[in-house]
Amino acid sequence: MGKFMRIFALSMMFVCVFSVCNATAFRMGDQGSEVAEIQGQLANLGYDVAADGDFGPATVEAVKMFQRNQGLDADGLVGPSTYSALMGREMPQVSRSFNSISRRIIANSMNYIGVPYVFGGTSPSGFDCSGYVRYVFANAGIYLPRTADAQYEVGMPVSRGELIPGDLVFFSTYDYGASHVGIYLGDGSFINASSSRGVAVDSLYSGYWGSCYIGARRVI
């Protein structure tokens, strides 16, 4: 378990570092008074959201509805354009010390190491790759499509050099396109439900996984 704990500790460090240094929008998992202010303005405009300072799934949906009504890209993120349209002023610098959703996903993902692979499996009695990812994210309040190829269509694309813990990493294995998916942990490692080992941690840069890697998506 020492290796897994080291990966987990590194992934938590990377979540914190990324959140502080590279925040360009308010997003799922953010907390604080600025989030509450955004939620309050959405509520004032008639959107169904509570001003509790916790940017969760309900806030994402309210933001998306506002963006659609404003003719903006409905990505659920409150970036400069959305903030200006909503609040009527320039967006402040986004500063946050952690992303609670990312932490929850990484911590929860490690709970199922050793669960066997079952084709079509969607529960801790047995997972396939996309069933595992969907289950872990659902426990954090994020609901993904069922299959790897459909999951590859959500969120925003991320280059390999910009990966952070909680990103989805995709591979072309038994079929053309995205046929396998895992959750990036940081330090070049990801966790996945593989047909050979069940839920396990693997290296993104190993000979096999490195050769069939096709891309990543960020959904949080």
Side-chain angles (χ1 to χ4, degrees):
M1 291 299 292
K3 175 184 177 182
F4 298 142
M5 292 305 297
R6 180 179 64 85
I7 292 170
F8 178 74
L10 282 169
S11 67
M12 292 300 96
M13 179 185 70
F14 293 162
V15 167
C16 292
V17 170
F18 177 86
S19 295
V20 171
C21 298
N22 296 282
T24 58
F26 295 99
R27 66 183 66 214
M28 173 93 74
D30 288 346
Q31 298 174 323
S33 59
E34 291 175 323
V35 171
E37 188 177 9
I38 290 169
Q39 293 169 322
Q41 180 63 6
L42 287 166
N44 289 338
L45 295 175
Y47 296 95
D48 186 16
V49 62
D52 59 6
D54 188 357
F55 202 128
T59 304
V60 172
E61 291 307 311
V63 170
K64 286 182 178 179
M65 290 180 63
F66 173 79
Q67 289 171 323
R68 293 188 190 102
N69 291 338
Q70 295 293 315
L72 300 169
D73 183 22
D75 57 9
L77 306 176
V78 181
S81 297
T82 298
Y83 189 92
S84 176
L86 177 64
M87 307 301 292
R89 62 178 185 265
E90 185 177 344
M91 191 176 93
Q93 181 178 359
V94 183
S95 176
R96 55 185 183 269
S97 60
F98 65 91
N99 185 312
S100 61
I101 301 295
S102 296
R103 288 174 178 266
R104 193 182 313 167
I105 287 170
I106 297 303
N108 189 44
S109 72
M110 306 295 282
N111 290 333
Y112 307 104
I113 289 176
V115 170
Y117 179 89
V118 174
F119 183 77
T122 59
S123 75
S125 62
F127 289 114
D128 66 12
C129 66
S130 55
Y132 168 67
V133 167
R134 189 171 189 266
Y135 185 88
V136 169
F137 273 71
N139 282 344
I142 301 171
Y143 299 95
L144 299 174
R146 171 64 185 90
T147 61
D149 59 342
Q151 291 172 3
Y152 194 49
E153 300 300 319
V154 302
M156 54 182 274
V158 182
S159 70
R160 193 183 305 213
E162 296 175 331
L163 285 170
I164 61 171
D167 286 343
L168 301 182
V169 287
F170 293 88
F171 308 85
S172 181
T173 53
Y174 66 88
D175 197 8
Y176 177 78
S179 54
H180 188 76
V181 59
I183 302 169
Y184 188 67
L185 298 175
D187 196 29
S189 297
F190 70 101
I191 190 167
N192 67 128
S194 67
S195 58
S196 60
R197 297 200 297 147
V199 177
V201 175
D202 288 299
S203 171
L204 193 65
Y205 303 105
S206 69
Y208 175 72
W209 293 115
S211 67
C212 57
Y213 175 83
I214 61 171
R217 309 289 293 191
R218 182 167 299 153
V219 299
I220 53 176

